[in-house]
Amino acid sequence: MKVLVAPLDWGLGHATRCVPVVREFLNQGAEVELAVVRSNATLLRGFFQELRQRLAPSYNIVYPKHGYNMGLWLAKNGVHLRKVMNYEHRFAEEMVERYHYDVLVSDNRFGFYSRHAKSVYMTHQRRIAFPKVLSAFEPVGMLWHASVMKHFDEVWVPDLPEFPGYAAGLSHVNKSPVPVKYVGALSRFENHLGTETPRNYKFVAIVSGVEPARSRFESLLRNVLAKVPGRHAIILGKPVLGVKSWSEGNIDFHTHLPDREFAEAVRGAQWVVSRGGYSTVMDMAVLGAKCIFVPTPGQYEQVILAQDLAREGYAATISESNFSIETLLAAMSEKGNVSLPKPKDNALLKNAVSDVLTTNNI
């Protein structure tokens, strides 16, 4: 059975959560190849050096400086997004025709399906969250997403089937145009749990996302952590630069860290500060981190996730506009007992992959 896995290129989280999916297909004897863009090719090459990569279309998303502009940005760029979706659908059909793939796995790539291969769509955001000022349009967003999903044979949700899981109302939706399978929390760190690591850092900050929000968050973290007593680390999320490390004052910087070193740094931190992307949430849950999430402006689903997790007592959250040494230290003091629940072992992903590989309705 030949499988092509294609993660979306809106940040690296889509690529990292595909890692356990690829591993499971390989474990079950499938021949796997990857559809990549330049921004995630290096990262995935680090995990799967032996796997062939196909260059896929890029969405080329750049988030606005202010979150309230995202709705307007999407409206303005709707034609561009539709063109990319149409192009990636033609690309997917061509890949199946030329290289005879039996299964396509799309992580949130809206047009990556084929009429001639089993097509799986993976998303945690079955409900597309809108800010309060645009909440009247949320049903329209859900209808649009349902129209995307109906082109696929089934939908995989990287969450627990029991509410609230980790994504709560974003992932747990009653209606779907195609069969839905929950495949559990997906993390690339599942093989690097190890033993407890001494707490060497007060804060480990993880920079992620797309520009210009990524660089703005990096600058904010540099300025704030430099004023906080203690030793800190900032992981810059730049795998294309290789693994480089240096120190400035009380902060150790890393362009990128291999999984084992990344896991050790996180487990060696009293607190982790990061964006509130869902892949990051799953990674931090697996690693047992105490988290302060700073949602990316313009990505309202991160705001919803962070608020839900804070309400459950799983994490703390600070908006980017309010992030400062005062709010950071206050979150430490007020939310000292927060803890993300570790996901339990389950066979959800294993069973979903097995079902795809053994069914004949391709």
Side-chain angles (χ1 to χ4, degrees):
M1 195 73 72
K2 195 171 182 181
V3 181
L4 183 63
V5 178
L8 187 66
D9 60 317
W10 295 14
L12 293 177
H14 293 279
T16 58
R17 75 184 188 187
C18 282
V19 170
V21 174
V22 174
R23 286 173 177 161
E24 188 57 46
F25 273 109
L26 292 171
N27 288 341
Q28 297 196 31
E31 178 185 351
V32 183
E33 296 183 357
L34 306 172
V36 302
V37 298
R38 288 183 174 86
S39 62
N40 60 31
T42 301
L43 177 81
L44 290 170
R45 179 68 69 194
F47 289 105
F48 307 108
Q49 295 182 6
E50 75 284 1
L51 298 188
R52 181 186 294 275
Q53 295 187 346
R54 309 284 185 186
L55 190 62
S58 172
Y59 275 75
N60 293 319
I61 296 298
V62 177
Y63 281 100
K65 181 177 180 180
H66 302 291
Y68 59 78
N69 287 333
M70 179 49 76
L72 297 176
W73 187 94
L74 287 172
K76 179 181 177 181
N77 290 274
V79 173
H80 164 72
L81 294 178
R82 173 54 61 181
K83 286 181 178 178
V84 175
M85 289 168 61
N86 290 339
Y87 177 53
E88 75 172 346
H89 175 56
R90 294 194 299 270
F91 170 80
E93 294 285 16
E94 180 183 352
M95 290 293 99
V96 171
E97 181 179 354
R98 290 180 61 185
Y99 302 112
H100 309 293
Y101 295 107
D102 301 294
V103 179
L104 299 183
V105 178
S106 163
D107 186 329
N108 262 121
R109 294 199 67 120
F110 308 126
F112 202 82
Y113 61 90
S114 171
R115 293 164 295 177
H116 306 293
K118 180 87 171 185
S119 298
V120 177
Y121 181 67
M122 190 163 74
T123 182
H124 72 279
Q125 200 178 349
R126 295 172 62 200
R127 165 197 163 209
I128 298 179
F130 280 68
K132 290 183 179 180
V133 295
L134 298 173
S135 60
F137 295 97
E138 194 166 286
V140 177
M142 290 184 68
L143 286 173
W144 176 83
H145 205 190
S147 73
V148 168
M149 290 187 280
K150 72 179 183 181
H151 294 293
F152 295 81
D153 295 295
E154 60 188 53
V155 172
W156 289 2
V157 180
D159 200 357
L160 305 176
E162 301 83 11
F163 185 88
Y166 293 99
L170 294 181
S171 64
H172 293 81
V173 176
N174 290 330
K175 296 182 180 180
S176 174
V178 296
V180 172
K181 294 178 180 177
Y182 287 85
V183 295
L186 303 181
S187 172
R188 70 189 196 268
F189 297 110
E190 58 186 0
N191 295 334
H192 299 285
L193 299 183
T195 57
E196 186 65 25
T197 302
R199 303 293 180 178
N200 299 318
Y201 290 114
K202 180 173 284 188
F203 286 102
V204 167
I206 303 167
V207 187
S208 61
V210 295
E211 298 294 356
R214 197 215 66 82
S215 291
R216 189 174 65 245
F217 189 42
E218 176 187 333
S219 178
L220 187 62
L221 289 167
R222 284 173 175 263
N223 293 335
V224 170
L225 292 183
K227 303 172 186 176
V228 178
R231 197 78 201 160
H232 317 298
I234 298 180
I235 304 171
L236 298 174
K238 294 182 175 181
V240 295
L241 299 181
V243 180
K244 300 177 182 178
S245 301
W246 69 95
S247 297
E248 296 178 15
N250 64 334
I251 303 174
D252 296 333
F253 290 87
H254 308 280
T255 54
H256 174 67
L257 287 176
D259 276 7
R260 187 171 298 280
E261 287 83 350
F262 188 107
E264 288 175 354
V266 168
R267 290 199 303 267
Q270 295 179 30
W271 287 87
V272 170
V273 184
S274 72
R275 291 304 198 185
Y278 187 61
S279 295
T280 299
V281 170
M282 291 189 290
D283 287 341
M284 296 302 104
V286 166
L287 293 175
K290 293 178 62 175
C291 296
I292 298 173
F293 293 120
V294 184
T296 305
Q299 291 187 258
Y300 192 64
E301 76 281 0
Q302 291 195 12
V303 177
I304 294 294
L305 278 170
Q307 290 176 349
D308 287 348
L309 293 168
R311 184 166 52 249
E312 295 292 332
Y314 295 160
T317 182
I318 304 171
S319 68
E320 182 180 287
S321 61
N322 290 328
F323 189 80
S324 66
I325 183 173
E326 291 80 14
T327 57
L328 185 63
L329 295 179
M332 282 183 64
S333 174
E334 296 169 9
K335 304 290 185 178
N337 294 322
V338 298
S339 178
L340 284 164
K342 285 194 174 184
K344 298 178 181 178
D345 292 337
N346 60 65
L348 294 172
L349 178 61
K350 180 179 179 180
N351 292 340
V353 169
S354 178
D355 288 346
V356 165
L357 295 179
T358 55
T359 53
N360 262 335
N361 55 341
I362 294 177

